[in-house]
């Protein structure tokens, strides 16, 4: 099964979406409830123009597993590519909450915000966030003296 998934991801990366879908479906025949495989097949369907079928799959996943990141992101991408940026925003917000350091995701989220006419929030998303550093504390080890 792992071979099918690797081959499917490679086919998807090369733009061979029908081949990727076939391979993901083969893997699903052995793990029919695998939400990641279902979301990956929905991603292929979206690329093949089968938006309604992709949406049904993603909605079914999200009904059972509302925080399933691949399905949340898949729904966001589906809605944005379908010209519904305002509807995609809640899904992008959830995806970013689940993966806040993912720069490609943040760029796409910013694009969605601009398309949904939310330029202020888009500007905040594009601004680099300061990294938090742990507070330095003074520690003494056994046998040491503090000044």
């Amino acid at each position: 099964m792992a071979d099918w998934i690797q081959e499917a991801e490679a086919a998807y990366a090369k733009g061979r979406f029908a081949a990727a879908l076939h391979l993901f479906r083969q893997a699903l025949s052995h793990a029919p409830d695998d939400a990641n495989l279902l979301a990956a097949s929905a991603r292929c369907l979206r690329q093949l123009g089968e938006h309604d079928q992709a949406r049904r799959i993603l909605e079914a996943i999200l009904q059972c597993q509302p925080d399933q990141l691949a399905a949340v992101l898949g729904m966001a991408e589906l809605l944005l590519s379908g010209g519904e940026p305002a509807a995609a925003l809640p899904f992008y917000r959830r995806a970013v909450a689940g993966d806040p350091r993912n720069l490609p995701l943040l760029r796409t989220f910013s694009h969605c915000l601009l398309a949904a006419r939310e330029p202020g929030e888009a500007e905040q998303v594009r601004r680099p966030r300061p990294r938090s550093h742990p507070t330095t504390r003074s520690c003494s080890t056994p046998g040491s003296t503090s000044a």
Side-chain angles (χ1 to χ4, degrees), residues 41 45 80 85 92 118 128:
S41 68
L45 289 165
L80 181 60
Y92 273 115
E118 299 283 347

Side-chain angles (χ1 to χ4, degrees), residues 11-22 24 43-45 47-48:
Y12 186 91
K14 293 177 184 172
R16 298 177 41 236
F17 306 119
L21 178 60
H22 175 74
F24 281 128
R43 192 171 30 127
C44 294
L45 289 165
Q47 292 290 356
L48 292 168

Side-chain angles (χ1 to χ4, degrees), residues 2-62:
D3 290 342
W4 287 329
I5 296 168
Q6 274 186 315
E7 288 180 45
E9 290 294 348
Y12 186 91
K14 293 177 184 172
R16 298 177 41 236
F17 306 119
L21 178 60
H22 175 74
L23 291 162
F24 281 128
R25 284 181 171 164
Q26 283 185 305
L28 278 165
S29 70
H30 294 279
D33 296 328
D34 186 310
N36 286 314
L37 290 174
L38 288 165
S41 68
R43 192 171 30 127
C44 294
L45 289 165
R46 177 178 58 88
Q47 292 290 356
L48 292 168
E50 299 290 338
H51 293 199
D52 291 339
Q53 192 176 356
R55 188 176 192 140
R56 283 192 299 274
I57 291 169
L58 293 168
E59 286 172 346
I61 297 168
L62 293 171

